[in-house]
Amino acid sequence: MTARHRIATRASIECDCATWPAELKKRWIALFDPDDAFAEKPWVRETQYVCARILTRYLACCARHGLPAQISSQGLRAFIRDCEKAGNVPRTIAGYVRHLSSVANLLQPELYAERGWLRQTAVRLQRVASRTPKKRTAHVVRAPDIGLLGERLIAQARAAARQDTWATTELFRNGLWLRLGVRLPERLKALSALQCSWIDLDARLIRFPAEVEKVPEQAQRALPEDLVEDIREWLARRAKRKPRHDFFWIAKGGKPAGAAALAAAMRRVTKNLTGEPISPHGFRHGAATFVVETAPDKAPLATIVLNQRSAAITREYTQRAKQIAASREGAALIAAGEARVRKAVRALTRSTIAHAPRKSARAYRRKARRKSSSSPAEPAMKRPPQACDSPTDPREPADRS
C-alpha cells in the first residue's frame, strides 16, 4: 500500500468505488466521507482500501462471466475459480472471502440474514486454509543471521570510506536497515517513515507515533547500545547529502526513500547475500521465531516484540519454533544412529574398506590405475597348429605372415 492510499480524501474514497453500482457507491461514500469529521468511521483507511479492492475484483469477475453485479453464490464460485487459476493459495482465498463478507454486511446490513451462506463459506475456507502452510514458512532466516548480513554491508561501506559516493552511502543504509529490522522489528510502514526527531540517542529510545502503527497506539523501542554508533555515523553520512526533510532514510540526491524502494532494496540485497530474497516483513518473522526458539518458556514475548494483539500469532510462532527444534533434534538423532551403525560394522570386520570406506576405495582405484598404466599391453600370441586341424586347401592363398 503506497503512501497516497493511506490518506483518506474525497478523491481516494471515490476512487475506491469508481466501478461499483450506483447504490453501493453512494453508501460507501456516505460511510467514509472524510469531509464529515464528526462521523465515526467503521474502518481505518488501510482496511477501507483493502476491502474496496477485493470487492472491485469480485465485481470485475462477475462482469467477465456475465453475472449480475451483486454478491451471489454463482459469483462467489466464479471468483474462487479465478483466484485458483491466478495461483492464489487457500489462505489468500479465505482472506478474500472473509473481507468480501465484511463489505457485504457493511454496505447491505438489511441482507445480513439472507447471506448466512456467505459467512459459512468464509468459515469453511478458513478451516481449509488453517491446514495449509504459509508460503513464508518455507524460508525463515534466523534474526542473528540477518544482523550479521547488515554488519557485513556496513563493514564494506567503511572499507570504501575514501570513495564518498552514493554507492557506499546506500551500502551503509541497507546494512543499517538490516540491523534495525531485526533489533526493532517494526512493520514496513513504521520503519520506512522513521524520522530523525523520533530518535533519542541520549535516552536510547525510538518513539513511533500512533499514525504509523497498525495498532493505533504510540510504540517505544529501546535502542541497543551497539547500534548507537552506527546511527551516529549514518546521520553524518546523511548530512553530507544535504536533505531538506526530517526523514531518517534517504534515496539518491537526498530525497526521502519510499517504502516500496526500501523493500525492493532489502529483497535485492538479501538475494545477493543468501540466494533468497527476504522482504522487510520477513525480518519480523525471523525475530519472532528466534525469540520463541531460544526461550520457549517466554513465548508471549513474540507478541509483544511484534506489537501484536492476537494470541494466535504467539501460537503460530511457537508451532514454527517447535518444528525447527524438532527437525534439528531429529537430524541429530539420525546422525548419531548412523554413527553407531558404522561403529558396529567396523567392530565386526578387519577390512580396511569397512573401517575407512571412502579412503580405501579411492586408494584401490589409484592402485588399479597405476598398475594398468605401468604394464604395456602384450602382443597377441598366435595359436600353434593342432593335429585335429583340417588340411590346408591348395586353392586358398598361403599365409604369408
Side-chain angles (χ1 to χ4, degrees):
M1 184 176 181
T2 58
R4 65 186 179 90
H5 295 301
R6 297 194 187 107
I7 304 172
T9 61
R10 180 79 180 192
S12 63
I13 299 298
E14 291 178 352
C15 182
D16 290 343
C17 55
T19 59
W20 296 4
E23 182 63 26
L24 296 180
K25 184 187 300 185
K26 181 180 178 181
R27 294 190 178 188
W28 182 265
I29 294 175
L31 284 168
F32 300 107
D33 187 5
D35 297 335
D36 190 358
F38 297 98
E40 184 178 356
K41 307 300 185 291
W43 297 331
V44 297
R45 178 57 194 153
E46 286 85 352
T47 308
Q48 296 172 25
Y49 177 72
V50 171
C51 292
R53 286 187 64 189
I54 293 172
L55 182 57
T56 302
R57 287 184 59 182
Y58 171 82
L59 294 175
C61 174
C62 292
R64 285 195 304 271
H65 292 275
L67 299 173
Q70 61 184 11
I71 297 178
S72 62
S73 57
Q74 292 180 347
L76 186 62
R77 281 195 291 268
F79 180 69
I80 292 175
R81 284 196 298 268
D82 285 1
C83 290
E84 290 175 343
K85 290 179 182 178
N88 296 130
V89 297
R91 284 180 178 268
T92 303
I93 298 174
Y96 287 164
V97 176
R98 185 177 67 254
H99 284 94
L100 201 59
S101 177
S102 300
V103 175
N105 295 334
L106 182 68
L107 295 178
Q108 296 175 323
E110 67 276 6
L111 300 179
Y112 181 84
E114 299 179 10
R115 290 204 173 118
W117 61 271
L118 181 59
R119 294 189 295 275
Q120 293 177 3
T121 303
V123 171
R124 290 169 184 168
L125 287 175
Q126 190 61 38
R127 290 174 185 168
V128 175
S130 63
R131 295 193 292 267
T132 59
K134 292 184 179 181
K135 281 186 176 180
R136 67 182 181 221
T137 59
H139 183 72
V140 178
V141 180
R142 301 172 73 248
D145 297 337
I146 299 175
L148 290 176
L149 295 179
E151 290 182 5
R152 283 176 54 186
L153 294 179
I154 291 176
Q156 292 175 14
R158 286 171 176 164
R162 295 182 179 179
Q163 304 174 4
D164 189 13
T165 61
W166 167 248
T168 58
T169 304
E170 184 182 23
L171 204 63
F172 195 97
R173 183 201 69 183
N174 295 340
L176 184 58
W177 178 288
L178 291 178
R179 299 200 68 194
L180 279 177
V182 294
R183 296 294 191 90
L184 313 175
E186 285 287 340
R187 295 177 179 85
L188 175 63
K189 174 184 174 181
L191 198 56
S192 62
L194 179 62
Q195 297 186 19
C196 299
S197 58
W198 301 353
I199 304 173
D200 189 349
L201 293 178
D202 296 332
R204 304 295 193 264
L205 283 177
I206 298 181
R207 296 178 177 87
F208 293 91
E211 55 265 22
V212 299
E213 292 287 341
K214 185 176 181 180
V215 179
E217 295 178 358
Q218 181 182 3
Q220 290 190 5
R221 298 282 187 174
L223 192 59
E225 193 68 31
D226 58 337
L227 286 179
V228 173
E229 292 303 320
D230 291 345
I231 292 177
R232 292 186 193 276
E233 184 175 349
W234 166 249
L235 291 175
R237 290 173 178 265
R238 175 185 176 277
K240 292 181 181 179
R241 302 294 163 182
K242 299 179 180 179
R244 299 180 179 179
H245 53 81
D246 192 44
F247 288 100
F248 185 73
W249 308 108
I250 61 172
K252 191 173 183 179
K255 299 179 293 184
L262 289 169
M266 294 310 110
R267 286 193 292 267
R268 182 177 64 252
V269 166
T270 51
K271 185 175 181 179
N272 293 338
L273 294 176
T274 66
E276 290 283 347
I278 307 171
S279 66
H281 206 72
F283 303 164
R284 289 168 56 84
H285 303 318
T289 303
F290 181 74
V291 168
V292 178
E293 182 183 358
T294 53
D297 55 329
K298 299 179 181 179
L301 277 177
T303 307
I304 301 173
V305 167
L306 297 185
N307 197 12
Q308 293 278 6
R309 291 287 183 87
S310 175
I313 301 296
T314 301
R315 291 194 296 270
E316 178 182 337
Y317 286 110
T318 302
Q319 181 182 3
R320 181 184 301 173
K322 287 181 179 178
Q323 290 175 350
I324 295 174
S327 62
R328 289 176 178 168
E329 185 177 356
L333 290 174
I334 293 172
E338 292 176 350
R340 287 195 298 269
V341 171
R342 284 194 294 268
K343 186 176 180 180
V345 170
R346 292 169 186 171
L348 296 175
T349 179
R350 295 182 179 178
S351 171
T352 56
I353 295 180
H355 284 272
R358 293 185 180 180
K359 181 177 180 181
S360 301
R362 287 195 297 267
Y364 178 80
R365 288 194 293 268
R366 285 197 298 269
K367 184 177 179 181
R369 284 196 297 268
R370 286 198 299 268
K371 184 177 180 181
S372 61
S373 60
S374 60
S375 57
E378 297 181 357
M381 299 292 292
K382 187 175 181 180
R383 186 174 67 89
Q386 304 292 332
C388 60
D389 290 343
S390 58
T392 305
D393 191 343
R395 291 175 296 180
E396 293 181 359
D399 186 9
R400 302 190 181 200
S401 61

